[in-house]
Amino acid sequence: MMNSPTILVIDDESQIRKLLEITLDSNGYKTVFASNAKEGILMSANHPPDLIVLDLGLPDDDGQNVLVQLREWFVNPIIILSVKSAESEIVKALDNGANDYLTKPFRTQELLARIRAALRNQSMVTPEPIVTIDAIQIDFSARIVKVNSEIIKLTATEYTLLSLLVKNEGRVLTHQHILKEVWGPSYIDQTQYLRVFIAQLRKKIESDPNRPKYILTESGIGYRFNIS
């Protein structure tokens, strides 16, 4: 257990903390807990964990404020776990720096999958020159994409979009974040523009564009690149 990732859970619900303790510990993680914002921030600063699971409904501060404070210095993944399910709340958290967002009640296996993806993505800060995902091969140094060993012709924008998604594998990227990163700040409201490019990209890399395996839609929020 010495090399097990440490996960800090910041949540004031004792039942949730107990459930996560059993779930995470039985899956090889070292788990520590904080029941309020002040305690969570202090623990994060003194002993930075590999990942934080953060509730938004804390008794002493709004979780969105805690997220903003953490992101001033904390670089590891943060997953939001909250009863707040409004689209605006989810988008706000993701734009504030959360890597992912799950609503309560949640499925423990889904949470574990999201944790694995976030930790895997964190370990890929500098991606390998060539990344292979099933039949897809991406050569970042040569800017070449192959599917079934055949070079796929991508426009410069399509390649930039695919690279952004792959380098953030497992993380939900909001429409606004993608538009800003790929096209610039003046395009952040052009969600239809983004949908067109996502559709084009799916036609080129997905075996069934109508049932995508890799570029997944988070309805009303954004997209996630999936390799699990």
Side-chain angles (χ1 to χ4, degrees), residues 114-135:
R114 302 289 182 95
I115 288 172
R116 289 193 296 270
L119 291 173
R120 185 167 59 238
N121 181 54
Q122 183 68 13
S123 69
M124 292 174 58
V125 174
T126 304
E128 295 295 324
I130 298 178
V131 173
T132 302
I133 306 159
D134 298 332

Side-chain angles (χ1 to χ4, degrees), residues 56-119:
L56 295 183
L58 299 171
D60 56 338
D61 199 355
D62 181 79
Q64 295 281 5
N65 295 334
V66 177
L67 176 58
V68 171
Q69 291 179 59
L70 287 169
R71 278 302 183 222
E72 291 178 356
W73 52 271
F74 187 77
V75 297
N76 290 342
I78 299 175
I79 295 178
I80 302 299
L81 193 60
S82 175
V83 295
K84 298 180 180 180
S85 58
E87 180 182 313
S88 58
E89 197 76 31
I90 298 173
V91 170
K92 182 179 179 181
L94 294 169
D95 284 340
N96 280 338
N99 293 71
D100 213 334
Y101 194 115
L102 272 77
T103 55
K104 300 176 183 177
F106 61 94
R107 296 189 295 270
T108 56
Q109 289 302 314
E110 182 177 8
L111 175 62
L112 289 169
R114 302 289 182 95
I115 288 172
R116 289 193 296 270
L119 291 173

Side-chain angles (χ1 to χ4, degrees), residues 172-189:
V172 179
L173 300 182
T174 65
H175 297 129
Q176 290 78 11
H177 177 82
I178 297 172
L179 286 161
K180 181 181 178 181
E181 292 295 316
V182 178
W183 285 276
S186 61
Y187 286 83
I188 61 172
D189 296 322

Side-chain angles (χ1 to χ4, degrees), residues 143-154:
R143 296 174 64 89
I144 292 175
V145 178
K146 295 181 180 179
V147 176
N148 294 319
S149 300
E150 294 187 8
I151 295 177
I152 302 301
K153 293 183 179 180
L154 298 180

Side-chain angles (χ1 to χ4, degrees), residues 210-225:
N210 295 319
R211 300 180 64 184
K213 176 182 178 181
Y214 304 109
I215 304 175
L216 305 184
T217 299
E218 296 289 336
S219 183
I221 298 166
Y223 299 94
R224 173 207 310 275
F225 195 89

